[in-house]
Amino acid sequence: MCVGVPMQILSVDGIAARATDGRTEELIDLSLTGPVPVGAWVLTFLGAAREEITEAEAHNISKALDGLRALMQGDELGDAFADLEARGPQLPPHLAAAAAAGRSTG
């Protein structure tokens, strides 16, 4: 399983950027996103930025990862997924269209 980690861009040099998740600083590859401004948030997988995200999305993902870390250490999950509790499951657009058309999605 691959887990995406939100990171904030600190500096950019071509297709490489220095970024932080608040705990560590890493050199990440921007080949898949193209130019990203300093201060922007990206979702990274295995040292590569996959997409630019909002600060709010980065915060929610970071809270969820913190909650999972706590749970794995035997602590409480807390409000790590509070943003998801207020809404039901959401299908991706292509599956929502299939469901609306009466086709099976599972």
Side-chain angles (χ1 to χ4, degrees):
M1 178 172 76
C2 194
V3 175
V5 177
M7 300 191 87
Q8 189 172 31
I9 303 297
L10 301 173
S11 65
V12 178
D13 184 13
I15 61 167
R18 180 103 0 232
T20 184
D21 65 358
R23 292 182 176 91
T24 63
E25 195 174 299
E26 295 181 20
L27 184 64
I28 60 170
D29 182 347
L30 299 176
S31 297
L32 298 174
T33 61
V36 178
V38 170
W41 287 88
V42 292
L43 191 58
T44 66
F45 294 87
L46 302 172
R50 298 297 171 106
E51 67 179 296
E52 191 171 347
I53 59 175
T54 67
E55 185 175 357
E57 289 171 316
H59 176 73
N60 287 340
I61 294 166
S62 292
K63 277 182 68 173
L65 292 173
D66 289 343
L68 292 175
R69 277 186 206 96
L71 196 62
M72 288 173 25
Q73 294 172 353
D75 295 331
E76 294 294 319
L77 188 59
D79 68 344
F81 294 94
D83 62 309
L84 301 178
E85 292 175 358
R87 64 177 173 89
Q90 295 177 317
L91 291 173
H94 67 288
L95 293 179
R103 294 190 293 268
S104 173
T105 59

